[in-house]
Amino acid sequence: MWLKPEEVLLKNALKLWLMERSNEYFVLQRRRGYGEEGGGGLTGLLVGTLDSVLDSTAKVAPFRILHQTPDSQVYLSIACGANREEITKHWDWLEQNIMKTLSVFDSNEDITNFVQGKIRGLIAEEGKDSFAKEDDPEKFREALLKFEKSFGLPEQEKLVTYYSCSYWKGRVPCQGWLYLSTNFLSFYSFLLGSEIKLIISWDAISKLEKTSTVILTESIHVCSQGEHHYFSMFLHINETYLLMEQLANYAIKRLFDKETFDNDPVLDDPLQITKRGLEYRAHSEQFKAFFRLPKEETLKEVHECFLWVPFSHFSTHGKMCISENYICFASQDGNLCSVIIPLREVLAIDKTDDSNRSVIISIKGKTAFRFNEVKDFEQLVAKLRLKCRAASTQYDVSTEVAVSSDSTGPHDNFGEQPLTCQKECSKTVNTEALMTVFHPQNLENLDSKMLKEKMKEQSWNILFSECGRGVSMFRTKKTRDLVVRGIPETLRGELWMLFSGAVNDMATNPGYYAEVVEQSLGTCNLATEEIERDLRRSLPEHPAFQSDTGISALRRVLTAYAYRNPKIGYCQAMNILTSVLLLYAKEEEAFWLLVAVCERMLPDYFNRRIIGALVDQAVFEELIRDHLPQLTEHMTDMTFFSSVSLSWFLTLFISVLPIESAVNVVDCFFYDGIKAILQLGLAILDYNLDKLLTCKDDAEAVTALNRFFDNVINKDSPLPSNVQQGSNINDEKSSHTKVDITDLIRESNEKYGSIRYEDIHSMRCRNRLYVIQTLEETTKQNVLRVVSQDVKMNLQELDELYVIFKKELFISCYWYLSCPGLKHHDPSLSYLEQYQIDCQQFRVLYHLLSPWAHSANRDSLALWTFRLLDENSDCLINFKEFSSAIDVMYNGSFTEKLKLLFKLHIPPAYTEVVSKTSSKGDELSTEELFYFSQLQVSKHADAKETESGKNTPEKGKGKIDIQAYLSQWQDELLKKEENIKDLPRMNQSQFIQFSKTLYNLFHEDPEEESLYQAIAIVTNLLLRMEEVGRKLHSPTSSAKGFSRTAGDSGPSEGNAESNVEKDPSSPREEHQWSFAFEQILASLLNEPALVRFFERPLDLKAKLENVKSSQLRSRTKL
């Protein structure tokens, strides 16, 4: 590797370096202790230790080239290398390209300047793509060289960053270097001859946290496959931890949670991940989550400034954040003041000429925002004006959906949709909230509750007059206080749209909902069937959902969303949430609110494995341990809280609280996000703490909580009594204390309002690793339970084999952007089908594991085995199929092993294999392997498809045929042991290949000679038997091609082959000889050497241990 020229004082360096080559201008040196027997003695050990600790690869690379200036002790280091081959290549280049040129210069100074310029040019050319994004390209190049030298991972493994730290091995810290790359966490240390090399794949990490103990003031704890690792003494531990957290979650998404990863194109290319990119992405995600912006937005610029708050008459300090379509501001204390300005609302952007460096943004509704003390404000104004022009062309005024100061809420406007489409849509889509249809307010009869409701409305109107109304209103502490008190019924839909950010989604997609409704009408799939089943279970006691109006609206919204996002489709609990949304929001608004909840505010909640909800439950448990330790001590099993709280998170308490109280919770959720739900959950447990501490079991605790929920009321709710769920029980259970929901929410804010968004995000990331690894462990245990019934391996061996199987799938996906294996990972499938390998991955595992992998035709054997196992011809096999083959090879009887070999040499497994590249012998290229594995499929694709349609239930997509699954399961249960008499006969070409395979298997065996002799005797015997049999059945026929028989010594496999090839003109259908499996088995049983070979015990446990340690190493260059 070429290095930026730096001065080296040769006088002090001679003790550490040895001269290898030199000429007039250059010197090639080798590091002392490298390449010497015994490591170079004590000096070599000390040098190695120094190399490991010092932060300069120029000092630790074993070879280097210096440019020497004659008559001077100062040299310039210009290149270094990890091995002799690399450094020799550089040396030869210098001799061929530089030496001749240097002779034309007159002075040594000119020579040195020329060499420096040339080397810098080489570095710039070499690293213009790879290192341009790094803060210090030169240092990063050096670290990359050391990383490659220490671990030898493939070139595609992208180093993201590196840190100096200590790794605790027992009670002893080892100083070294921590390398974070796209797929691995790696550590290297070399101290006084003791080398420590650690490689942990991110996908194996189940726990990642910052810890602090008496010995370790602050360290990072990594748990991988039951092993615990501690790293400490970081210069920037928070930065290191955040990057590790991001890389671990990226790997988890890519390998385990493909649904989420597919929706995340930013990280689609592992080779493009950089430290700066990850930091930028983290800030961008935080920005979108805080301001509830559409997921397409990315943070572009951040400026510190002051925002003038007119109603308070002061300027608040904070940050202006700019994305593609929004200008946002948040005060230093995020709760004090925040503003969101969509560029579609902006009318003008001006700057002042005074010393305040002000930027004034005017928006529709005669409102202006003044930002003071903006750095580079003139350039910022120019940029924002360009953005506004672009936005004005994108959004036509007639298609906008805005909330202006004189409106009651967002309006439906389908803008550019054809008039006929709008008319048709107006017939089907409700343009009013169901609450206004079924419970219009009676202004003549103002009771005390209605008066309170009017007072709430008045409070909000005062706020609107001060802070503005609509998407660009000031959001202050007063706003939160009013939300906690409960949003008035008439404003609820409008403010839910505003606080959730759904108003922006709807504004930027005019007419989208009408279009999706039209396209989704009449569709029939699993999601629509489930929706139909649950429609009348959604708030069945409410009059709105006892009528076709409400039911039809609910059907349209849920079906449209399932059509929009088929990966989520429909999940139980979505119906309950959507019912409440439809009560207070217009139908189109309810759709966009559902989008906001499912895709932004509660990520991964409504997918097949409800990962998001499980993660937030784990966060909730963590908060319980922190804030209610006495409850944790009493409840020995924390899973109780998970089982109880799942419905709280999935339905935002709607399923457990009366509707009039639950809507207040939804108010807070749309304003504060998941933080509101976590705070309320803690407040509920705290309120019931004494009762829960006296409970003896889980059932008693559940009863206590249910009784509490029954007695939560909303005393200020203006809903009529026939709708209120809590009012029906007021008189019956008067002995129990009533709890007002407003008081409960206020208490949750006072006691637990200190919980920060940043802490919740960090806990979510940390617990996501644990949740997904737990789900993976469950999958593994279920697979092992099913497979263990059909194999002779013990559970430990099966467990290790499963780990190797899955690891191979992941390793093959580490360095390839579009790995076919990952495309087939579908968590909705049965446990066995979730992970499947293709032919290439199977070949690698076959080479590593099979006792027959030493055979010369091992690629062909791997191919035939794969084809045999791939019964449904989808070119993929699961773990059950894979383990069945390995089990026969290691634990099968003589007959079972022979039957496997026999089946490999007859259709459908067998196909003639001819490698296109004769230089590779029997080796097959990846393309050839895939071609031969699909050969049979391509011939009979239609037939196979029809057959698979009959026998196999549809996987993953659309409607799942439960009856087909039950039928398949029954067939498997009734499947009898395969009778050897049912096996087809083996023809002559197949038998010749079978004989070749046996010869290859016996190669280098201790009994090789006797095995060869035995197989020759068996072959001769079988040929004689077949010849005699044919003469008996057709004595008149002539046996062309078989007149020659072997001599007394018996025919070898080669003789048999030559006999077959003598008369190619003879008709194939005539005189074809073939063998039944019983004939071959009986003949081989007569040869003790052959029986001993196949019945020899094989140590599978040792093999598995060896493969586990070498599986990754086989991919490295070390």
Side-chain angles (χ1 to χ4, degrees):
M1 183 176 79
W2 299 109
L3 297 176
K4 181 182 175 184
E6 288 184 357
E7 289 189 354
V8 174
L9 194 59
L10 197 61
K11 185 177 179 182
N12 295 332
L14 287 173
K15 294 175 184 177
L16 301 176
W17 294 91
L18 300 172
M19 192 84 71
E20 289 269 314
R21 294 189 196 178
S22 67
N23 57 36
E24 190 177 353
Y25 298 108
F26 300 103
V27 177
L28 191 157
Q29 295 180 328
R30 173 173 57 83
R31 190 71 163 168
R32 189 180 291 276
Y34 183 84
E36 298 175 25
E37 289 187 18
L42 181 61
T43 309
L45 286 179
L46 292 171
V47 171
T49 301
L50 190 67
D51 291 344
S52 178
V53 175
L54 289 180
D55 181 16
S56 173
T57 308
K59 293 172 188 163
V60 300
F63 296 96
R64 71 177 183 180
I65 297 175
L66 306 178
H67 166 59
Q68 61 181 347
T69 307
D71 306 322
S72 172
Q73 284 293 310
V74 177
Y75 284 56
L76 294 174
S77 65
I78 60 170
C80 65
N83 52 55
R84 194 180 298 277
E85 184 183 347
E86 182 186 359
I87 206 70
T88 304
K89 188 178 175 184
H90 284 11
W91 179 265
D92 293 342
W93 188 90
L94 287 170
E95 286 192 326
Q96 292 167 16
N97 296 279
I98 300 292
M99 286 297 291
K100 294 176 183 177
T101 311
L102 296 183
S103 60
V104 303
F105 291 101
D106 296 329
S107 68
N108 290 335
E109 188 178 348
D110 290 342
I111 291 172
T112 302
N113 288 338
F114 174 78
V115 171
Q116 285 182 312
K118 192 68 180 174
I119 298 303
R120 285 196 176 99
L122 288 171
I123 291 171
E125 184 65 30
E126 184 186 75
K128 64 182 179 182
D129 298 321
S130 307
F131 312 110
K133 296 178 183 176
E134 304 303 333
D135 295 329
D136 189 341
E138 188 59 35
K139 263 195 166 184
F140 193 82
R141 279 165 51 84
E142 295 180 2
L144 181 60
L145 180 76
K146 188 174 178 184
F147 173 68
E148 290 174 349
K149 171 180 171 265
S150 302
F151 303 101
L153 293 167
E155 291 177 6
Q156 299 96 321
E157 182 62 18
K158 176 79 163 55
L159 177 64
V160 177
T161 191
Y162 60 99
Y163 297 97
S164 172
C165 72
S166 290
Y167 170 64
W168 289 79
K169 195 172 183 181
R171 296 190 177 186
V172 181
C174 303
Q175 186 64 26
W177 291 92
L178 181 71
Y179 298 92
L180 307 181
S181 58
T182 46
N183 297 297
F184 300 99
L185 178 158
S186 312
F187 177 83
Y188 184 81
S189 171
F190 183 86
L191 294 171
L192 298 176
S194 174
E195 184 182 56
I196 295 175
K197 194 181 291 186
L198 183 70
I199 301 179
I200 303 171
S201 58
W202 293 116
D203 57 83
I205 293 176
S206 57
K207 197 170 192 178
L208 181 66
E209 61 182 354
K210 277 192 293 184
T211 58
S212 183
T213 61
V214 178
I215 301 174
L216 304 176
T217 50
E218 211 172 9
S219 64
I220 295 175
H221 172 212
V222 177
C223 180
S224 169
Q225 295 176 341
E227 295 181 357
H228 296 269
H229 309 276
Y230 292 88
F231 302 91
S232 67
M233 299 185 193
F234 289 96
L235 196 59
H236 305 289
I237 191 166
N238 289 329
E239 176 195 292
T240 310
Y241 177 74
L242 285 172
L243 278 170
M244 291 170 73
E245 193 175 67
Q246 281 183 289
L247 286 166
N249 274 286
Y250 159 72
I252 287 290
K253 278 185 181 180
R254 182 170 179 234
L255 299 172
F256 296 126
D257 195 11
K258 194 65 173 146
E259 290 177 32
T260 310
F261 188 82
D262 283 340
N263 297 326
D264 197 355
V266 181
L267 289 178
D268 197 36
D269 185 357
L271 302 178
Q272 298 305 316
I273 295 176
T274 61
K275 177 186 169 185
R276 189 184 297 174
L278 286 171
E279 289 171 348
Y280 161 74
R281 175 183 167 78
H283 292 147
S284 190
E285 291 293 325
Q286 205 172 358
F287 159 72
K288 282 189 288 186
F290 184 82
F291 292 107
R292 308 278 165 73
L293 298 181
K295 58 185 179 183
E296 296 80 18
E297 296 297 310
T298 53
L299 180 62
K300 296 296 183 184
E301 295 180 55
V302 178
H303 300 271
E304 282 203 26
C305 61
F306 289 85
L307 173 64
W308 173 251
V309 185
F311 52 88
S312 298
H313 303 289
F314 76 94
S315 293
T316 177
H317 180 244
K319 290 181 179 177
M320 179 199 290
C321 304
I322 301 169
S323 68
E324 290 89 346
N325 299 297
Y326 296 87
I327 302 167
C328 304
F329 176 88
S331 59
Q332 207 68 28
D333 174 8
N335 295 325
L336 190 61
C337 176
S338 65
V339 169
I340 300 168
I341 309 171
L343 291 180
R344 65 177 184 272
E345 296 277 325
V346 175
L347 295 175
I349 297 176
D350 302 299
K351 60 182 177 181
T352 58
D353 297 326
D354 57 21
S355 59
N356 287 338
R357 295 180 295 176
S358 300
V359 177
I360 299 171
I361 300 175
S362 304
I363 65 167
K364 299 168 188 174
K366 299 180 181 178
T367 306
F369 297 91
R370 182 188 179 103
F371 298 91
N372 301 321
E373 301 298 327
V374 183
K375 191 178 179 181
D376 301 327
F377 72 107
E378 292 181 342
Q379 293 94 317
L380 179 62
V381 167
K383 285 181 191 174
L384 290 177
R385 282 174 177 168
L386 283 173
K387 279 181 175 288
C388 285
R389 285 195 203 104
S392 63
T393 58
Q394 186 178 352
Y395 302 108
D396 189 271
V397 178
S398 63
T399 66
E400 280 209 292
V401 183
V403 185
S404 59
S405 58
D406 58 348
S407 67
T408 57
H411 305 295
D412 289 287
N413 191 332
F414 299 140
E416 298 173 359
Q417 292 293 312
L419 194 62
T420 53
C421 177
Q422 289 185 30
K423 284 181 180 177
E424 286 174 17
C425 191
S426 63
K427 293 176 186 176
T428 55
V429 175
N430 289 348
T431 53
E432 286 187 285
L434 293 178
M435 197 61 83
T436 59
V437 176
F438 287 89
H439 307 294
Q441 290 189 2
N442 186 358
L443 299 177
E444 297 176 4
N445 181 23
L446 291 177
D447 56 12
S448 59
K449 288 186 178 181
M450 283 305 298
L451 284 171
K452 281 186 179 179
E453 187 74 4
K454 289 297 168 189
M455 287 172 64
K456 278 188 190 178
E457 286 182 33
Q458 188 61 29
S459 299
W460 277 96
N461 287 327
I462 294 168
L463 181 78
F464 291 149
S465 65
E466 291 179 353
C467 303
R469 185 170 187 173
V471 71
S472 298
M473 70 181 287
F474 283 89
R475 303 170 196 212
T476 63
K477 188 176 182 299
K478 190 176 179 182
T479 315
R480 171 181 268 106
D481 293 340
L482 288 178
V483 170
V484 168
R485 284 171 53 190
I487 297 174
E489 300 277 308
T490 55
L491 297 175
R492 191 160 265 143
E494 174 190 343
L495 293 175
W496 282 0
M497 289 289 288
L498 193 65
F499 297 143
S500 66
V503 65
N504 294 316
D505 291 320
M506 187 164 145
T508 53
N509 295 281
Y512 176 86
Y513 177 65
E515 186 182 330
V516 172
V517 167
E518 190 176 7
Q519 291 171 350
S520 63
L521 282 176
T523 55
C524 183
N525 51 40
L526 181 63
T528 56
E529 284 186 12
E530 290 178 345
I531 289 168
E532 287 299 325
R533 190 175 63 240
D534 288 345
L535 282 176
R536 301 191 184 276
R537 301 178 189 171
S538 313
L539 299 185
E541 65 286 336
H542 198 286
F545 297 102
Q546 294 167 359
S547 72
D548 285 341
T549 306
I551 293 291
S552 298
L554 182 60
R555 178 187 291 113
R556 284 193 295 272
V557 172
L558 291 174
T559 307
Y561 186 77
Y563 184 86
R564 165 192 166 85
N565 192 344
K567 288 186 177 176
I568 289 178
Y570 171 76
C571 178
Q572 280 190 335
M574 285 170 70
N575 60 319
I576 297 171
L577 177 61
T578 308
S579 303
V580 175
L581 299 179
L582 282 166
L583 289 177
Y584 294 98
K586 298 169 187 175
E587 189 176 317
E588 184 177 10
E589 294 171 356
F591 171 80
W592 288 112
L593 283 168
L594 184 63
V595 169
V597 171
C598 295
E599 296 176 16
R600 287 204 313 274
M601 300 186 73
L602 296 178
D604 299 341
Y605 260 59
F606 300 100
N607 60 19
R608 295 179 178 97
R609 297 193 289 178
I610 57 168
I611 287 172
L614 296 175
V615 169
D616 281 346
Q617 281 184 296
V619 171
F620 187 50
E621 287 178 18
E622 201 170 323
L623 290 171
I624 293 170
R625 280 191 286 269
D626 292 342
H627 295 277
L628 299 169
Q630 61 272 51
L631 191 58
T632 309
E633 290 169 12
H634 178 71
M635 294 282 189
T636 53
D637 186 7
M638 292 294 284
T639 54
F640 162 75
F641 299 110
S642 299
S643 57
V644 168
S645 63
L646 183 61
S647 61
W648 302 358
F649 290 99
L650 282 172
T651 65
L652 308 178
F653 284 95
I654 295 169
S655 63
V656 291
L657 286 174
I659 183 67
E660 66 276 9
S661 301
V663 289
N664 283 35
V665 178
V666 180
D667 294 343
C668 296
F669 168 74
F670 280 127
Y671 191 84
D672 270 334
I674 194 63
K675 179 175 180 279
I677 304 300
L678 292 167
Q679 286 176 183
L680 183 61
L682 289 172
I684 289 168
L685 293 179
D686 187 27
Y687 190 92
N688 292 278
L689 186 61
D690 294 336
K691 293 177 185 174
L692 291 172
L693 291 176
T694 58
C695 292
K696 296 173 183 175
D697 54 34
D698 292 355
E700 199 175 336
V702 170
T703 304
L705 287 172
N706 286 339
R707 190 176 294 124
F708 167 79
F709 287 129
D710 288 341
N711 287 281
V712 174
I713 61 168
N714 186 351
K715 61 187 179 186
D716 297 334
S717 175
L719 290 178
S721 56
N722 65 324
V723 173
Q724 291 194 37
Q725 296 171 345
S727 61
N728 300 328
I729 58 170
N730 281 351
D731 298 326
E732 297 173 21
K733 299 184 179 179
S734 55
S735 59
H736 296 290
T737 309
K738 302 296 175 189
V739 183
D740 188 65
I741 187 65
T742 308
D743 296 335
L744 194 61
I745 291 173
R746 187 182 293 112
E747 188 179 333
S748 74
N749 270 281
E750 290 170 359
K751 282 191 174 183
Y752 307 108
S754 58
I755 298 170
R756 303 186 311 147
Y757 291 106
E758 294 84 356
D759 296 333
I760 292 172
H761 175 72
S762 181
M763 285 189 281
R764 272 179 158 178
C765 288
R766 186 165 63 244
N767 284 291
R768 187 181 187 85
L769 295 174
Y770 170 74
V771 165
I772 289 188
Q773 294 290 9
T774 303
L775 289 171
E776 288 299 307
E777 183 63 25
T778 304
T779 299
K780 182 177 82 171
Q781 294 305 326
N782 281 297
V783 169
L784 298 187
R785 192 176 65 250
V786 171
V787 174
S788 62
Q789 299 170 9
D790 300 325
V791 296
K792 296 174 184 175
M793 281 183 265
N794 59 46
L795 274 176
Q796 185 183 352
E797 291 171 342
L798 210 53
D799 190 306
E800 290 181 5
L801 187 64
Y802 182 86
V803 170
I804 291 167
F805 176 86
K806 190 168 140 187
K807 189 70 180 174
E808 180 55 40
L809 177 63
F810 285 177
I811 288 175
S812 61
C813 299
Y814 283 160
W815 302 294
Y816 302 98
L817 300 187
S818 55
C819 172
L822 277 183
K823 291 178 183 174
H824 301 291
H825 174 43
D826 186 350
S828 68
L829 297 177
S830 64
Y831 291 118
L832 277 172
E833 303 297 325
Q834 284 186 25
Y835 290 110
Q836 300 181 86
I837 57 173
D838 60 30
C839 198
Q840 168 60 16
Q841 292 154 350
F842 178 79
R843 172 167 67 173
V844 174
L845 286 173
Y846 186 89
H847 289 181
L848 287 171
L849 284 164
S850 174
W852 303 337
H854 63 276
S855 172
N857 65 335
R858 62 180 187 168
D859 276 6
S860 299
L861 281 176
L863 169 68
W864 298 331
T865 309
F866 180 85
R867 287 168 59 88
L868 178 68
L869 298 174
D870 183 21
E871 292 181 7
N872 60 354
S873 302
D874 61 352
C875 299
L876 295 167
I877 62 168
N878 60 35
F879 179 70
K880 184 178 181 181
E881 293 161 341
F882 173 75
S883 60
S884 65
I886 299 297
D887 187 59
V888 170
M889 291 177 195
Y890 279 90
N891 299 322
S893 64
F894 174 83
T895 305
E896 288 168 336
K897 288 178 183 178
L898 195 64
K899 184 166 71 173
L900 174 61
L901 281 170
F902 183 88
K903 288 167 77 173
L904 295 183
H905 293 82
I906 57 174
Y910 179 75
T911 182
E912 289 189 25
V913 177
V914 181
S915 176
K916 295 176 185 175
T917 50
S918 56
S919 60
K920 289 189 174 182
D922 289 323
E923 283 187 35
L924 296 175
S925 66
T926 306
E927 293 76 18
E928 290 170 339
L929 197 68
F930 280 112
Y931 169 74
F932 287 124
S933 68
Q934 297 168 9
L935 201 57
Q936 193 67 22
V937 180
S938 59
K939 281 184 182 178
H940 307 288
D942 297 334
K944 294 276 181 189
E945 199 172 324
T946 310
E947 190 179 335
S948 62
K950 289 177 186 175
N951 299 331
T952 311
E954 192 175 346
K955 294 182 184 179
K957 298 178 183 177
K959 188 176 177 181
I960 295 174
D961 190 346
I962 305 298
Q963 290 298 325
Y965 267 119
L966 291 172
S967 175
Q968 187 183 18
W969 182 48
Q970 190 176 19
D971 289 344
E972 285 180 7
L973 288 175
L974 297 173
K975 192 186 289 182
K976 295 179 181 178
E977 186 70 29
E978 186 179 35
N979 194 323
I980 59 173
K981 292 182 179 178
D982 298 333
L983 292 172
R985 295 173 70 85
M986 182 182 279
N987 67 29
Q988 59 192 46
S989 61
Q990 293 160 3
F991 180 72
I992 290 166
Q993 186 56 60
F994 177 74
S995 302
K996 280 185 180 180
T997 299
L998 290 177
Y999 269 83
N1000 288 328
L1001 289 181
F1002 302 151
H1003 184 57
E1004 294 185 355
D1005 189 89
E1007 295 187 59
E1008 185 176 6
E1009 286 300 322
S1010 57
L1011 286 167
Y1012 283 163
Q1013 190 175 3
I1015 198 64
I1017 293 168
V1018 168
T1019 309
N1020 183 23
L1021 178 63
L1022 286 168
L1023 287 170
R1024 286 175 183 277
M1025 285 168 59
E1026 183 61 23
E1027 183 70 20
V1028 170
R1030 185 165 53 255
K1031 285 179 179 177
L1032 288 172
H1033 284 93
S1034 52
T1036 56
S1037 67
S1038 61
K1040 290 182 184 177
F1042 302 106
S1043 54
R1044 295 184 188 177
T1045 56
D1048 296 335
S1049 61
S1052 68
E1053 168 262 331
N1055 297 137
E1057 188 175 358
S1058 62
N1059 289 341
V1060 175
E1061 292 171 353
K1062 286 290 179 184
D1063 192 5
S1065 62
S1066 59
R1068 277 191 169 270
E1069 60 275 10
E1070 292 179 24
H1071 317 308
Q1072 272 274 357
W1073 45 266
S1074 62
F1075 299 110
F1077 176 68
E1078 303 101 295
Q1079 291 176 285
I1080 296 175
L1081 175 63
S1083 303
L1084 291 174
L1085 279 171
N1086 287 326
E1087 298 299 323
L1090 292 172
V1091 175
R1092 282 197 304 274
F1093 176 83
F1094 284 108
E1095 290 192 341
R1096 188 181 301 154
L1098 300 169
D1099 192 348
L1100 177 59
K1101 186 178 179 181
K1103 188 70 172 178
L1104 291 171
E1105 285 296 324
N1106 181 50
V1107 171
K1108 277 174 73 177
S1109 61
S1110 64
Q1111 195 172 9
L1112 179 62
R1113 194 165 63 242
S1114 63
R1115 301 300 206 292
T1116 67
K1117 294 173 282 186
L1118 296 182

